[in-house]
Amino acid sequence: MNYGSFSERVKHLFSLKMIFKILKLSSFSFLIYLLLTKSTNIHGLNKDFLFNNIFKFQSDKYYIYILPVIIYSLFMILSNSLNILEQFSLDKFNKSRSIQFISFLTFILYRIIAFCYTYIIFAFIFYILNNLDNEFTTRNLRIFDWYYLSENLNHNYNSGVYFSLILTLTIFFLFNNAFLKINSNFFNYRTTEISFFAYFFITIIICIGVFFGLFSIFNAIYNIRATSLTEWFNKENIIGLLPIRLASVMILVNLFKYIYNETLEKKIFPFFILALFPVRHIENYNLTIKIETRETLYFSQIAFYILNIAIAEYFVIIEFKIVYLSILNFAILFIQDDFNIINEYSKGMQTILPNHFRRIQLFNIIMLVSAILALILTKSFGVLTIYSILSLILILLYRYNYSFINSQDYKF
């Protein structure tokens, strides 16, 4: 696509929209590679192939990287030279041979920069996803391990992780794909709207909730089929996992209700059309996000519950028990239902009793402290960093909309 001069093309290349496109195509390419390697016996498509041809830059075979780009650039120049000359020419009125030569060299230079930049991101995404796949493989996890029973028919609290992750990534790309399309006139290389970051953050929270909600469902399916419904119910009720599973599904339902009402404008079909098909605009449908509303208070609180449920289920996945985790589980189960009741009876937190508000904040502090201590004691510093950053953003978002809370005592 010819969309401007050299500087304009470079700005577009390094824009948020282009980064998202590269991430999306790289992840989709890895999924295809995964399906090919897992379902077929194609010779050569293995870990050595990735290391030798993608992760490792072979300086002695530089022509493999540069030559195809130059050939493609020359083909473009020969087939579209007038357009390229017009856009890349330093002198619009001078059509001398030297100016043409410099313009075409500039075009080739841009193509090489674009290739290198795209290749680095592509290789980085493949490297991360390949390491993640290797980690899953060493733990005997497969995409459909929740459906196919293993020989050792015991409770397994890891099955379903892989499939849940793939579905979560799919939802992540669908949401952001639709939002970038409908805002394509705004998300160009010149400006970056604050609503992009708001939508991106909401998508992250959705994906965390979706992942652990789906994991709870698929993992429960495996364990029920491996034993029996009665045995599964009794064991998970004893170890305290069943309430966390139910809480994650309930929270996920509440989150989707918020997204449907506040973000998708109660129009689900136009959203899927934007997300799945090559349609860039639908009349009278705009995905806009307002961060200055009382509904944002509800989202912030629900999102904080999702983060803490994620921490609770994270410890289930790594099969680790600690006293602070028990406190965290108790706090989540105790306050979640109370919050929904308080929210309903306070008309969406427009008017709330002071003791109700203090109760919610008290359990927020208990959950925050318990989760941080549990992560520190288990040396899960990567998870702790993510949890702390997301919690801080939610706290700031909550404080930003604090004025929408009308706290007063009722007199009977």
Side-chain angles (χ1 to χ4, degrees):
M1 180 185 297
N2 296 313
Y3 41 77
S5 64
F6 178 80
S7 60
E8 289 176 325
R9 286 170 179 248
V10 170
K11 290 177 182 177
H12 177 80
L13 178 65
F14 290 93
S15 65
L16 293 172
K17 184 192 299 185
M18 186 58 66
I19 292 175
F20 175 77
K21 287 181 178 179
I22 299 173
L23 292 176
K24 179 174 61 176
L25 293 175
S26 300
S27 301
F28 182 70
S29 301
F30 184 82
L31 180 60
I32 295 176
Y33 164 80
L34 193 66
L35 293 175
L36 286 174
T37 55
K38 301 297 184 183
S39 60
T40 64
N41 293 319
I42 299 179
H43 180 70
L45 281 180
N46 50 32
K47 298 174 183 178
D48 293 334
F49 172 83
L50 290 179
F51 180 79
N52 294 327
N53 296 280
I54 296 181
F55 305 148
K56 180 182 177 181
F57 180 82
Q58 303 180 49
S59 57
D60 57 329
K61 297 182 179 179
Y62 62 90
Y63 57 87
I64 295 177
Y65 306 95
I66 303 301
L67 191 59
V69 181
I70 294 178
I71 292 175
Y72 172 77
S73 300
L74 292 175
F75 172 78
M76 291 296 296
I77 289 172
L78 294 174
S79 61
N80 201 23
S81 58
L82 292 179
N83 230 339
I84 294 173
L85 180 61
E86 181 67 25
Q87 294 179 22
F88 284 83
S89 177
L90 302 176
D91 188 346
K92 301 297 182 182
F93 304 99
N94 189 347
K95 304 298 182 181
S96 65
R97 291 291 184 181
S98 60
I99 293 298
Q100 292 182 30
F101 180 73
I102 294 174
S103 299
F104 294 152
L105 280 183
T106 307
F107 175 78
I108 294 176
L109 175 63
Y110 167 75
R111 288 295 175 186
I112 293 176
I113 293 175
F115 170 78
C116 293
Y117 172 71
T118 305
Y119 177 79
I120 290 172
I121 296 180
F122 176 82
F124 181 70
I125 295 301
F126 256 62
Y127 179 78
I128 292 177
L129 294 179
N130 185 64
N131 286 345
L132 190 61
D133 176 62
N134 292 338
E135 179 68 22
F136 286 152
T137 302
T138 55
R139 298 171 62 183
N140 296 320
L141 298 178
R142 300 291 186 272
I143 296 178
F144 295 103
D145 56 7
W146 56 276
Y147 180 76
Y148 296 104
L149 298 179
S150 61
E151 296 179 359
N152 185 17
L153 297 180
N154 293 319
H155 284 83
N156 187 319
Y157 296 108
N158 289 279
S159 60
V161 170
Y162 209 153
F163 190 66
S164 300
L165 180 62
I166 290 178
L167 290 181
T168 301
L169 288 175
T170 302
I171 291 174
F172 172 80
F173 286 122
L174 287 178
F175 266 80
N176 284 280
N177 198 42
F179 189 71
L180 283 174
K181 277 185 180 180
I182 205 167
N183 292 278
S184 59
N185 294 329
F186 303 101
F187 293 124
N188 51 37
Y189 54 82
R190 295 185 180 88
T191 60
T192 301
E193 300 290 331
I194 188 64
S195 57
F196 172 81
F197 297 100
Y199 196 91
F200 186 76
F201 178 72
I202 288 178
T203 308
I204 291 176
I205 298 299
I206 291 174
C207 288
I208 294 175
V210 166
F211 173 75
F212 286 100
L214 292 176
F215 168 70
S216 296
I217 295 172
F218 292 122
N219 185 255
I221 291 174
Y222 175 86
N223 287 323
I224 291 173
R225 295 177 67 238
T227 55
S228 66
L229 179 60
T230 303
E231 184 179 347
W232 170 81
F233 183 86
N234 291 334
K235 182 173 182 178
E236 298 219 343
N237 195 34
I238 291 174
I239 65 177
L241 181 57
L242 181 60
I244 292 296
R245 290 192 189 276
L246 296 177
S248 64
V249 175
M250 291 169 56
I251 283 290
L252 186 60
V253 171
N254 291 329
L255 178 63
F256 275 134
K257 286 173 58 178
Y258 168 83
I259 298 301
Y260 176 75
N261 293 326
E262 302 300 327
T263 304
L264 304 184
E265 301 175 358
K266 299 181 179 181
K267 300 176 182 178
I268 192 69
F269 291 108
F271 166 77
F272 278 113
I273 291 175
L274 284 171
L276 296 173
F277 299 101
V279 177
R280 305 193 67 84
H281 177 72
I282 295 179
E283 189 175 355
N284 298 324
Y285 185 66
N286 298 298
L287 293 175
T288 57
I289 294 178
K290 298 178 181 178
I291 61 174
E292 298 180 356
T293 62
R294 63 178 178 83
E295 286 78 12
T296 307
L297 289 167
Y298 178 81
F299 166 76
S300 300
Q301 188 61 64
I302 289 294
F304 186 67
Y305 291 154
I306 287 176
L307 290 182
N308 286 279
I309 288 175
I311 297 299
E313 295 213 25
Y314 164 76
F315 284 107
V316 172
I317 294 174
I318 65 175
E319 298 180 358
F320 191 89
K321 297 180 180 179
I322 194 171
V323 63
Y324 297 107
L325 179 60
S326 300
I327 298 175
L328 177 63
N329 292 345
F330 168 77
I332 293 172
L333 297 175
F334 183 87
I335 196 60
Q336 181 188 184
D337 191 52
D338 278 15
F339 169 74
N340 289 327
I341 295 174
I342 291 170
N343 183 69
E344 291 295 328
Y345 280 93
S346 63
K347 298 179 180 179
M349 295 188 73
Q350 293 184 74
T351 302
I352 185 174
L353 292 174
N355 62 327
H356 288 173
F357 180 74
R358 287 191 293 268
R359 184 191 307 172
I360 293 173
Q361 298 308 312
L362 173 63
F363 277 87
N364 285 342
I365 295 173
I366 292 174
M367 285 185 288
L368 182 66
V369 173
S370 300
I372 290 176
L373 289 176
L375 291 171
I376 290 176
L377 292 176
T378 55
K379 298 182 180 180
S380 303
F381 297 115
V383 179
L384 174 62
T385 301
I386 297 174
Y387 175 79
S388 300
I389 292 174
L390 295 180
S391 296
L392 179 60
I393 294 175
L394 290 174
I395 292 171
L396 294 176
L397 193 61
Y398 196 92
R399 297 295 300 177
Y400 189 74
N401 293 273
Y402 187 78
S403 59
F404 287 99
I405 297 178
N406 181 18
S407 178
Q408 65 181 37
D409 286 307
Y410 289 106
K411 297 181 179 179
F412 298 97

